[in-house]
Amino acid sequence: MDNQFIIQKFGFLGNDFLDEFQKHAVLADIKSKTEIVREGQKNKYVPFLLKGSIKVFTLNDGRELIYYYIKESDSCLMTFSSIFTDYISRVYAVAEEDSEALLVPVSIMHEWLLRFPEINKLFYREYDRRFSEVMNMVNDAVFHRLDKRVLNYIKQQISATGNNPIKITHREIANNLGTSREVVSRVLKKIESDGDILQTKEGIKVAVNDNVRLV
């Protein structure tokens, strides 16, 4: 168990809490593409990600709407918030890559909220971060053209995984942005001709510096 992570994340709650966390948290390896929880399922754990990335989304007519990505040292706001209601998940969560997480039973977390009320600071920090991400997503969908949305999505994937180029199919992009694969393929060709990306057998590569064209 990553003691340095635990101290950095929860040290402000004191030694008694750190002892409790060590006692109840479970270290889990999660394989890429593993479904962690689905909509309507009862949440059993609150995850704290040590490495990897997890996609949190909802489905509508088979199309995904991404809410946010859980990155290293993050937790899942939607799982956390279910503690205050019925423990039922309102989202899907799937590992984007091989990941490692500390899992805390929701019943234990509920107990901690009463015994260690300052833990609510974690919830409010997570809420502020996720609210900003959702607002950015809404602004992207309303105010940006599809080519800008596709490019932003690819950059988001690179940021989440740390991989550039990134292995992702045109259909995956289409599903996540609520459009068709054919439309995404045309848009990617345009973005590539503009010099913002390069499509290779290794995946889609994005210029690290926006002022640099890929040729």
Side-chain angles (χ1 to χ4, degrees):
M1 193 170 291
D2 192 332
N3 291 322
Q4 184 176 1
F5 166 83
I6 296 171
I7 293 172
Q8 289 177 344
K9 190 80 172 179
F10 306 104
F12 72 97
L13 293 168
N15 290 331
D16 287 345
F17 180 85
L18 295 179
D19 291 340
E20 283 282 315
F21 194 93
Q22 288 275 16
K23 178 180 177 181
H24 293 288
V26 177
L27 184 63
D29 290 319
I30 306 170
K31 295 297 183 182
S32 177
K33 307 305 179 184
T34 298
E35 183 180 80
I36 299 167
V37 70
R38 61 172 42 235
E39 187 176 351
Q41 181 180 339
K42 189 169 184 178
N43 285 316
K44 296 181 180 180
Y45 300 96
V46 176
F48 294 92
L49 200 63
L50 295 177
K51 66 179 181 180
S53 65
I54 296 173
K55 178 174 65 176
V56 179
F57 62 97
T58 187
L59 286 175
N60 187 4
D61 292 332
R63 291 183 174 180
E64 295 180 3
L65 175 62
I66 298 174
Y67 286 143
Y68 52 83
Y69 289 88
I70 305 174
K71 302 178 184 179
E72 292 181 11
S73 81
D74 287 345
S75 184
C76 180
L77 173 65
M78 299 299 289
T79 304
F80 211 137
S81 64
S82 73
I83 296 174
F84 301 99
T85 52
D86 51 12
Y87 294 2
I88 301 300
S89 176
R90 291 164 177 78
V91 295
Y92 293 84
V94 174
E96 284 284 276
E97 56 185 325
D98 289 346
S99 302
E100 190 176 84
L102 290 170
L103 306 179
V104 177
V106 290
S107 58
I108 298 297
M109 185 64 73
H110 201 166
E111 177 186 329
W112 287 348
L113 288 169
L114 300 176
R115 293 178 55 197
F116 306 96
E118 284 200 346
I119 201 174
N120 282 288
K121 290 180 180 179
L122 290 177
F123 174 78
Y124 292 126
R125 290 172 190 164
E126 195 71 18
Y127 175 84
D128 181 66
R129 181 188 301 115
R130 300 310 179 193
F131 181 77
S132 296
E133 290 179 2
V134 171
M135 289 301 298
N136 289 336
M137 178 189 69
V138 171
N139 289 335
D140 207 30
V142 173
F143 298 114
H144 291 162
R145 298 183 312 177
L146 185 57
D147 57 347
K148 181 69 172 178
R149 291 176 58 200
V150 169
L151 184 57
N152 284 345
Y153 173 78
I154 296 171
K155 289 179 177 179
Q156 185 183 47
Q157 294 297 301
I158 290 172
S159 175
T161 63
N163 299 324
N164 187 22
I166 185 169
K167 274 283 188 181
I168 188 169
T169 67
H170 293 191
R171 185 171 298 281
E172 285 177 301
I173 297 173
N175 289 340
N176 290 329
L177 295 181
T179 185
S180 68
R181 181 189 59 78
E182 293 77 10
V183 169
V184 167
S185 295
R186 289 198 299 269
V187 168
L188 287 172
K189 284 183 180 179
K190 176 186 180 300
I191 299 173
E192 187 170 26
S193 68
D194 290 340
D196 294 318
I197 66 170
L198 187 64
Q199 300 186 79
T200 69
K201 292 181 179 180
E202 287 72 34
I204 301 175
K205 184 176 182 179
V206 174
V208 176
N209 187 331
D210 289 336
N211 296 320
V212 177
R213 288 171 56 89
L214 290 172
V215 294

